[in-house]
Amino acid sequence: MADGKPENDDAFSAHSSHLLPIPAKPKTNKFAMACSFLASMTSILLGYDIGVMSGAIIYIQKDLHITDVQKEVIMGIFSLYSLIGSAVAGPTSDWIGRRLTIVLAGVIFFFGALFMGLATNYAFLMVGRFVAGIGVGYALMIAPVYTAEVAPASCRGLLLSFPELFINIGALVGFTSDLAFSHLPTNLGWRFMLGIGMIPSVILTLVTLVMPESPRWLVTQGRLGEAKQVLERTSDSLEEAKSRLSDIKQAAGIPQHCNEDIVSIPKGHHGKGVWRELFVHPTPVVLHIMLCAFGMHFFQMTSGIETVILYSPEIFEKAGIKNDTHKLLGTMAIGFVKTMSILVAMFLSDKIGRRPLLLTSVGGCCVCLMGLATGLTFVQNSDHRLIWAVALCVCSILCYVSIFAIGMGPLTWVYSSEIFPLRVRAQGCGLAVAVNRVTSAVLTMTFISLYKAITIGGAFFLYAGFAALAWLFFYTLFPETRGKTLEEIEALFGTFFKWRSTMRALNQKSGDVSGQVQTGNTTIGTGNS
């Protein structure tokens, strides 16, 4: 019996070591989720403006007697104004920190909403749009950056979906505001619709005060003690917190043996040379990352999502729905469907990966846009009401915003914010948002002119063509990033169309290391017995 016991221990030890490499799935870190949730509330500002302007423009055009060209400009110029905010948000967040940048975004938007609500003419309204646009630009850039730097790898996709969720919630609130104030006198209704946007900006500014600073920004300032505390609260384990801190220190150029609470930062790691690395002497890795990030934001907008939302009342009218209240109810349906759909994406990106969701979403968007274009073409070329064509248009719009929200919507922010290396993350994400805003501005400022030139059906066939090109672009250039740390992701880039070979080599190397660890554990277990 005594001789048999060590044999059982040997067997148990070997069996245990065989199971060691298979870790239990960590629970979602509640503190990291709360931080990401609060930071992502900044995205409500963009969503609210998109949603509220789609309905408010009906009454602005009636009250101020603006032309179609002025209508295009007031709708689309907001994206160009937000470009200014996103361009300066990167350097600002490196200077004053991620948290104070979020506060600044809320304060700026507050004054923008105030000016829009008090506007007495078209020029005054444009001033309000300018100020609010800068605030939104700040918000768009900083929310995904902060979330990417706080979230552990196990749930980063879920947490980075929060900005898109809040864009949709903001749009739904904007649609509701349109309907709620639509029964007021024309000269008051649209002013209440726009001015009420001050409320979310105040809430945003207040809740930001309870958030911790980004641990990666703290490290770049040499504040290791504070960074360590934040990492211990936002990581799935103490070991992961130590590993994340080590990776960040390496990226920031801080020697691993430096463990003091406050350390000095080596020269060359205070943000200097970032623009040179991005544009003058970019490495193949940085080039590949910029191509993916900028391309993703470009194709997100060329799929026509902001055109569909901003001009949804006009699209419904072209589809044969003439009543203003019915058009506003249609926009509310868009907001509701889009918000519900984003909840699906939030829990799938960390389970099935970025690529499957993205490719499925873009392919579905292409089909839905073709359906919408077909329905609008039949409605516009018929001398009587085609019920089936109207139904096709409505169903295509709802299916389009739903499948967009499942993949293309949130994953643009997830993917582009997690692939940039720490040293260029703030500036890189700011530039990606700039591409997003410029593309949005071009499309939304030309939509009416475009459909007058090539018909409204032709405009959506064009957007469908862009979606098809996007699918090919994503399929050939985008590696999978699910489950990898921000520092590991950098190794996947640099080979462009050959990224699959790089990923296989990295997986093989990782497997070899795991095999060596497993063999070592088996030997140790046998020796101990």
Side-chain angles (χ1 to χ4, degrees):
M1 293 289 292
D3 293 337
K5 189 172 182 179
E7 292 177 5
N8 290 338
D9 285 343
D10 284 345
F12 178 77
S13 179
H15 180 65
S16 298
S17 66
H18 176 70
L19 295 178
L20 271 175
I22 307 175
K25 179 176 174 57
K27 294 182 180 179
T28 301
N29 187 296
K30 293 181 180 179
F31 184 74
M33 176 175 283
C35 293
S36 303
F37 186 89
L38 295 177
S40 300
M41 286 180 66
T42 58
S43 300
I44 281 183
L45 304 180
L46 173 63
Y48 183 82
D49 186 83
I50 292 173
V52 78
M53 277 302 293
S54 68
I57 194 64
I58 298 173
Y59 306 101
I60 292 173
Q61 192 167 22
K62 291 178 180 178
D63 186 34
L64 301 183
H65 307 290
I66 60 176
T67 65
D68 281 345
V69 172
Q70 289 177 310
K71 177 181 176 181
E72 282 183 318
V73 171
I74 200 71
M75 298 281 274
I77 199 73
F78 192 79
S79 295
L80 285 183
Y81 294 153
S82 64
L83 168 63
I84 301 172
S86 65
V88 299
T92 302
S93 67
D94 281 344
W95 177 40
I96 65 174
R98 313 314 195 206
R99 190 174 67 162
L100 287 181
T101 303
I102 296 174
V103 172
L104 185 59
V107 171
I108 294 173
F109 189 85
F110 174 88
F111 286 103
L114 177 64
F115 293 158
M116 288 190 290
L118 296 176
T120 54
N121 52 47
Y122 185 80
F124 195 169
L125 180 60
M126 189 66 80
V127 171
R129 300 288 286 165
F130 173 74
V131 176
I134 292 177
V136 164
Y138 268 93
L140 277 178
M141 178 270 163
I142 197 59
V145 168
Y146 178 90
T147 302
E149 294 181 347
V150 168
S154 62
C155 60
R156 191 173 58 246
L158 167 65
L159 302 188
L160 278 170
S161 298
F162 281 158
E164 182 68 15
L165 172 65
F166 279 106
I167 288 176
N168 293 329
I169 291 175
L172 183 57
V173 173
F175 294 143
T176 305
S177 175
D178 287 338
L179 189 62
F181 296 114
S182 62
H183 301 295
L184 292 177
T186 302
N187 65 325
L188 292 179
W190 67 266
R191 290 181 170 88
F192 273 97
M193 294 173 190
L194 298 178
I196 207 74
M198 292 184 292
I199 294 177
S201 62
V202 171
I203 295 173
L204 167 66
T205 303
L206 293 177
V207 301
T208 304
L209 300 178
V210 303
M211 293 163 45
E213 184 52 85
S214 157
R216 283 175 171 81
W217 183 81
L218 290 171
V219 170
T220 62
Q221 304 303 303
R223 295 155 63 178
L224 297 187
E226 296 175 63
K228 189 184 303 182
Q229 292 176 2
V230 177
L231 286 170
E232 288 174 355
R233 298 189 68 185
T234 58
S235 299
D236 294 325
S237 65
L238 187 60
E239 290 73 19
E240 183 189 4
K242 293 178 179 178
S243 176
R244 290 173 68 186
L245 180 60
S246 176
D247 289 340
I248 299 169
K249 285 165 66 176
Q250 182 179 356
I254 300 175
Q256 294 298 330
H257 62 79
C258 291
N259 294 311
E260 295 84 0
D261 286 348
I262 304 292
V263 300
S264 60
I265 303 300
K267 292 182 179 180
H269 289 275
H270 292 276
K272 296 178 180 179
V274 169
W275 299 111
R276 185 183 299 111
E277 182 174 1
L278 286 172
F279 294 112
V280 181
H281 300 295
T283 63
V285 170
V286 172
L287 273 176
H288 189 180
I289 288 172
M290 286 197 298
L291 182 62
C292 290
F294 298 170
M296 197 166 199
H297 279 275
F298 172 78
F299 281 117
Q300 185 196 47
M301 289 296 102
T302 56
S303 68
I305 185 63
E306 287 199 3
T307 300
V308 168
I309 295 176
L310 270 175
Y311 290 97
S312 53
E314 188 147 346
I315 295 170
F316 283 132
E317 183 173 348
K318 296 294 182 183
I321 301 172
K322 305 297 183 182
N323 183 274
D324 283 351
T325 301
H326 292 167
K327 286 185 283 187
L328 294 178
L329 287 172
T331 62
M332 283 192 65
I334 289 175
F336 179 79
V337 169
K338 197 165 181 281
T339 303
M340 292 300 102
S341 299
I342 186 64
L343 296 175
V344 176
M346 290 177 64
F347 296 98
L348 288 181
S349 64
D350 283 321
K351 292 184 178 180
I352 67 175
R354 284 40 160 171
R355 276 178 59 84
L357 270 182
L358 182 62
L359 294 174
T360 301
S361 174
V362 176
C365 286
C366 183
V367 173
C368 293
L369 287 168
M370 291 177 65
L372 176 58
T374 301
L376 288 170
T377 300
F378 273 98
V379 169
Q380 293 295 296
N381 289 281
S382 175
D383 55 0
H384 60 282
R385 184 179 176 85
L386 298 175
I387 301 299
W388 69 267
V390 175
L392 176 62
C393 291
V394 173
C395 290
S396 294
I397 290 177
L398 295 179
C399 289
Y400 167 69
V401 297
S402 175
I403 200 163
F404 178 91
I406 289 174
M408 186 68 165
L411 289 178
T412 297
W413 306 102
V414 172
Y415 201 88
S416 63
S417 59
E418 69 184 359
I419 62 178
F420 279 106
L422 173 62
R423 61 190 180 275
V424 297
R425 183 170 299 138
Q427 289 82 356
C429 289
L431 288 170
V433 173
V435 172
N436 184 289
R437 295 295 84 201
V438 169
T439 309
S440 170
V442 171
L443 266 67
T444 53
M445 290 176 68
T446 59
F447 177 67
I448 295 177
S449 301
L450 178 66
Y451 80 63
K452 285 182 177 180
I454 63 173
T455 74
I456 193 165
F460 284 103
F461 275 124
L462 178 62
Y463 296 154
F466 275 116
L469 288 176
W471 194 95
L472 293 174
F473 179 76
F474 298 147
Y475 180 80
T476 55
L477 277 172
F478 281 53
E480 179 60 68
T481 58
R482 175 175 65 103
K484 301 188 182 298
T485 67
L486 296 180
E487 285 67 35
E488 289 173 340
I489 288 172
E490 187 176 349
L492 298 173
F493 291 86
T495 52
F496 298 91
F497 298 102
K498 298 179 181 179
W499 63 265
R500 291 174 178 82
S501 300
T502 304
M503 178 167 281
R504 281 194 295 269
L506 290 173
N507 289 339
Q508 183 178 0
K509 181 179 178 181
S510 177
D512 291 342
V513 172
S514 298
Q516 291 173 8
V517 171
Q518 182 177 346
T519 302
N521 286 338
T522 304
T523 303
I524 292 171
T526 305
N528 288 340
S529 64

